[in-house]
Amino acid sequence: MSLTIESRVLALPDFGPPDSLPMVGPPLETPYSISGDIPPEIVEGSLYGNPPTLYPYQEQGGYGRDLVDTPVMTVVLENDLLRAVFLPEWGGRLWELFDKVSGKHLLHSPDTIQLANLGLRNAWFAGGIEWNIGTRGHSPGTASPIHTAIIRTPEGQELLRLWEFDRLRQVVFQVDAWLPENSPVLFVAVRLRNPNDRAVPMYWWTNAAIPQSEHTRVIAPADTAFASAYEGGISRVPVTAASPATDWTRPTINSRARDFFFDIPPEQRPWVVAADRQGDGLAMLSTRGLRGRKLFVWGGGAGGQRWQRWLTPRGGDYAEIQAGLAQTQFQHLQMPAGAQWSWVEAYGNGRLSPSLAQGSDWQHAVTHAHERLSRLADVAELDAAQRAARSWADLPPARILLSGSGWGALESARRSRSGQGWIDETGTPFPRESITDDQRAWLDLVEGRTTTSPAPGTSGFVTGTDWERLCADGGDDAASCFHRATMRHAAGDRAAAASLYRQSLAFSPDASAERGLAILGMTGDDPRERAEALAHYRRACALDASNGALIVEAATAAIALGEPTVALEILALPGVRGGQRSGRLLLLEARALALAGDTAGAAALVRRDIVVADLREGENAMAELWREVIPDEPTPGFYEFSMTEDTPSPASQSSVAARWRRLTHGRGVNSGWRMTSFMSIP
């Protein structure tokens, strides 16, 4: 077995820096409607722990679609049977798992990293295996560097260790990967640590992209599943089908994008496996701590196929199989104060019998897969791996390969100052060297080198009563009031946030504070507040017209409020630059023209083959706009991103609710307003 540091060339976009605006609005990933034959455990879990915002994170939305071949760092674990390739600079993703026996790639591993708006912070890319923590969606760190090191055990085993501080739940997660000699599976041990003196909602799903062909089938030990689609709601569906033509376990059979959460009995060993025409495919095994298993498909419709090409321009089709802490992704589990959770996962080639895996007898397929996977890695072997992983969990790094964010180091310093509990950093150090400009001014504040809060736009954001006290202790000024306002805003204290934003503005004009008041107005219930919100947006944009995220957000709000003229004025402000967001700005201009009655002007823009780099998952705004302003011509295929079977008619898009759904579901801006806040707009 070997562990080596290498490099490979992938086609990458220009990422750009994080947006300067705090994510203080409700996230896009809102709970689904859950009713019917659904266990109370799922219903209750879906109501618990949904975060009101993604603060203190900032969005990553400044990327484009021009790709440039670029060398990236890789860490390779290899034995005589498998080769596993990790990308530490991109969330630590397991990018490739190659089975040397069959000569097949078990993961969808394109030669491109094409960013798209599917993540909690916007930026996400398809391929490999990623580890998602915090809340439903692709993890905040999925497209960022992660702390990475090599660990050497007393037994001589070399491990790859990845770790980071999750700022949403304020917990530390750790992933250890190792590949023993002659092992047919790659082992991955996960540890979550909650250093807080309170319970926190917890979410974890391991997401694997697998190659998809017309013969791909996915098997798990369940007779039913909980299915969801993008128009909302989940329902129980049988796994067995009347005929292969309606068997949803075969990804290409599905006509639309859907999630299927297998209802695996609690006493059953959890696993999921994919099988191609020869019976080869990825098996995801684990100890019992990781209960859930899921199949996601893009569907065979025009929109699903378009998404496949949008996400992997130079790759083939893929589906996803996943494993999670809860039974579905709609749930959060309660992680007690001071708790540590750990489990082991194993990935390898299931090597099923083609005739049994592809056969019409589901029970025979499940029984056969269970027997084969028990030979691949049985319960005793996984339990032994977990015991070993626990003994290695706090071993210090033998060699640091890469630093992740500096937020863990800042959190360590904050807790040390205030006497709060923290983790043992021996195995997962957060070194001072990881501190960057995002954290440096905050570290100076914590350690008493300054009493002044950083100016808006010059650092990242922080959250918690300690930080509010530190900001207040320095006295009232524009920066102190602004940061306290954002913390109150994210905490749901609307009155205090509004008062502090206004205090900040009393010291000096500031686009960020005006924008904060605008979001408060847009998410409120009073129509007068929404009218005032638009005035705040206009002032914010006049102060910072070069801020593309702000311009997009403000124009979107104006259109949603039925004020297309204001949207056009905002888009025409001197200093507005398109850059990576030029496609989004053109879409908003076309939408505003259509709403203002200038159908010809909107049609002329739509005919320009607009490319909106930050299309949100489920968004079909370009196709809908085309059908509205050019109803007599077929919608171009490159505009079709529908993830449902039904196509809305132009007439149904004139209501505020439909207009808001189209504009906000995929706008790629920070605020994440809920559509329902605007149902009553006349």
Side-chain angles (χ1 to χ4, degrees), residues 444-485:
D444 289 343
L445 188 62
V446 164
E447 297 186 336
R449 287 184 290 275
T450 183
T451 59
T452 303
S453 303
T458 62
S459 70
F461 296 90
V462 293
T463 185
T465 54
D466 283 1
W467 290 115
E468 292 185 58
R469 284 196 296 267
L470 283 168
C471 289
D473 287 348
D476 284 347
D477 58 19
S480 170
C481 291
F482 169 74
H483 284 293
R484 287 153 56 203

Side-chain angles (χ1 to χ4, degrees), residues 178 187 287 344 378-392:
W178 71 100
F187 290 100
T287 50
V344 163
D378 63 18
V379 171
E381 189 173 1
L382 289 173
D383 288 344
Q386 183 164 8
R387 289 192 296 272
R390 286 172 175 165
S391 71
W392 301 332

